[in-house]
């Protein structure tokens, strides 16, 4: 990305304070760079550290439940959220430890 200008525009000028948005934003940038879309039925939720590690987020159960109600079918979450997860939805949940794992999951 060193030769690219990257701009993130949030509709309506909403301020993003939630670190769980990191993974979705990074995936959107990767999608644009690769010119390959992310499946519209995929939820991405996680905080990204400076080394590319994906950190656990709070309220993962609630996020999955609400996304399932909206019709999403797959969720990419930090590995750290898989253990305590009580997934009672029909959503497929996939864990990732590093941003490289997310690329493999989304674009294989």
């Amino acid at each position: 990305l060193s030769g690219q200008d990257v701009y993130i525009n949030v509709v309506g000028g909403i301020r993003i304070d939630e670190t769980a948005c990191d993974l979705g934003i990074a995936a959107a940038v990767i999608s644009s760079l690769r010119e390959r879309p992310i499946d519209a039925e995929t939820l991405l939720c996680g905080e990204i550290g400076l080394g590319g590690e994906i950190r656990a987020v709070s309220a993962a159960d609630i996020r999955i439940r609400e996304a399932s109600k909206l019709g999403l079918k797959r969720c990419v979450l930090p590995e750290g959220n898989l253990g305590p997860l009580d997934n009672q939805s029909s959503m497929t949940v996939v864990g990732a430890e590093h941003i490289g794992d997310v690329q493999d999951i989304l674009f294989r």
Side-chain angles (χ1 to χ4, degrees):
L1 292 173
S2 64
Q4 306 291 319
D5 291 329
V6 178
Y7 297 93
I8 305 297
N9 182 23
V10 179
V11 177
I14 298 170
R15 184 175 164 183
I16 299 177
D17 292 329
E18 175 62 65
T19 57
C21 294
D22 290 358
L23 189 55
I25 293 170
V29 171
I30 294 166
S31 171
S32 177
L33 183 66
R34 287 182 170 218
E35 296 183 2
R36 292 186 59 196
I38 297 170
D39 178 17
E41 295 179 337
T42 300
L43 167 68
L44 294 131
C45 191
E47 179 181 354
I48 302 176
L50 293 176
E53 70 277 6
I54 310 295
R55 298 181 185 151
V57 295
S58 62
D61 289 347
I62 295 169
R63 297 171 197 267
I64 290 172
R65 187 171 42 248
E66 293 301 316
S68 182
K69 288 179 187 176
L70 295 172
L72 278 71
K73 304 292 183 211
R74 180 172 67 163
C75 176
V76 180
L77 276 180
E79 283 282 336
N81 282 113
L82 294 182
L85 194 60
D86 179 26
N87 183 16
Q88 296 183 0
S89 72
S90 60
M91 188 177 290
T92 302
V93 179
V94 182
E97 292 183 354
H98 193 272
I99 190 66
D101 300 336
V102 175
Q103 291 183 76
D104 294 341
I105 292 165
L106 294 177
F107 304 111
R108 27 180 137 135

